[in-house]
Amino acid sequence: MKRWLLSAVTAAAIGGATIAAAHATSPHHGTGAVREPTEKEKDLLYNADQILQRRCLQRFGFKLWPVPRHPLPEDREFPYVIDDVTWAREHGYGSDMESRRAALRNSDPNHRYFVSLTPDQKKSMLAVVNGARPTGLEVRLPTGIVTGRSDRSCSAESDSRLYGDLKTWFRASEITESLTELGRRQVAGDPRYAASVAQWSRCMREKRFSYQNPYAARAAFLLAGNSKKAGQEMETAVAEAACAASSGLGATIHQLDGEYGAKLYRTYRSEVDSGHRIELAALPRARAIVTQG
């Protein structure tokens, strides 16, 4: 739903683009729900936001180059288990993606520009983008965490111009965004998930891979200092994906995602619908901004 809060330039500075989750638990809409924007519409909103931020930064003497919302479309996140054999056969656990992300960061004009600034200039630019202090906007998330953000920054200005009521948008977007992680925790804590993981582990042992859960399998290849070979990574990831299907773990995850997503939506329907309503209303403005931009 929401764009990068740190903005494109800050994300480039700290490194790494986030990617869409394959199994991210999200609110499942029922009858009468406000529809979620399509991926094409989200791209439009994202592009308009970047144009607005670029204009704002220019007023303060800084530069920003628009970057794609998904710079590596084939990059994926599997929060529970890899369940795509084709993807696993090509990418394993995604070790190859890290070098591609690094190459993107190094070639990104925003990254090159930011690292070229003096320490004082960097500090000033981040303050312009995100605000000098995270005050002015605050919301308590469903997880109990209170998060805040400056209402005096280029990020806040772009949101205000694009979405209108900044406080309403901030509350709706932050709460909706937090539901993904909350849903994942609920799925992972469900006894049915644990039982399916045990079935998955037995399947892996039958294929001569001894891992108690998918997290242990991916850690064996993705943790820093790991010396396992790429061929082993592909073989293990393919086995993981095959076992996700044959053990029923993939089906269990899909079922639990649906159940917890529906519960979360019922609980936070007001915020979720509000956010989607605001996004849909912003589409005409976004089209005008992109056309002019």
Side-chain angles (χ1 to χ4, degrees), residues 1-2 37 45 163 169 274-283:
M1 178 185 187
K2 82 180 174 182
L45 293 169
Y163 298 113
W169 163 248
S274 176
H276 291 165
R277 192 177 293 111
I278 291 171
E279 288 180 311
L280 294 174
L283 290 173

Side-chain angles (χ1 to χ4, degrees), residues 231-245:
Q232 292 176 299
E233 177 181 346
M234 305 299 179
E235 185 180 3
T236 308
V238 169
E240 173 173 321
C243 283

Side-chain angles (χ1 to χ4, degrees), residues 142-287:
T143 57
I145 296 174
V146 176
T147 183
R149 177 184 165 201
S150 174
D151 60 353
R152 297 178 180 275
S153 66
C154 280
S155 293
E157 178 183 303
S158 64
D159 275 352
S160 181
R161 290 181 180 276
L162 186 57
Y163 298 113
D165 187 335
L166 184 58
K167 289 187 176 181
T168 301
W169 163 248
F170 179 73
R171 174 178 173 79
S173 62
E174 287 292 322
I175 288 178
T176 301
E177 187 81 2
S178 73
L179 297 182
T180 293
E181 180 58 31
L182 179 58
R184 289 181 185 178
R185 293 181 190 176
Q186 293 174 339
V187 169
D190 192 291
R192 291 168 291 176
Y193 174 78
S196 287
V197 168
Q199 293 279 5
W200 174 90
S201 183
R202 282 193 286 273
C203 174
M204 290 291 282
R205 285 197 300 272
E206 292 172 359
K207 296 178 180 292
R208 303 184 305 281
F209 298 100
S210 183
Y211 296 106
Q212 286 190 324
N213 55 60
Y215 302 108
R218 72 181 62 183
F221 294 94
L222 298 183
L223 287 182
N226 188 281
S227 60
K228 290 182 181 290
K229 296 180 180 179
Q232 292 176 299
E233 177 181 346
M234 305 299 179
E235 185 180 3
T236 308
V238 169
E240 173 173 321
C243 283
S246 62
S247 69
L249 178 56
T252 297
I253 289 170
H254 181 75
Q255 177 184 347
L256 294 177
D257 263 345
E259 290 181 11
Y260 286 109
K263 290 178 182 177
L264 288 171
Y265 175 67
R266 287 196 296 270
T267 303
Y268 299 100
R269 175 170 183 165
S270 176
E271 290 82 1
V272 174
D273 282 357
S274 176
H276 291 165
R277 192 177 293 111
I278 291 171
E279 288 180 311
L280 294 174
L283 290 173
R285 290 191 293 273
R287 291 190 186 96

Side-chain angles (χ1 to χ4, degrees), residues 19-30:
I19 47 183
H23 279 306
T25 303
S26 57
H28 292 253
H29 302 171

Side-chain angles (χ1 to χ4, degrees), residues 4 17-21 39 42-43 46 67-75 104:
W4 295 344
T18 56
I19 47 183
E39 286 301 306
K42 291 177 183 179
D43 285 342
Y46 171 87
V67 296
R69 177 169 164 248
H70 294 304
L72 288 175
E74 67 274 30
D75 199 355
L104 276 176

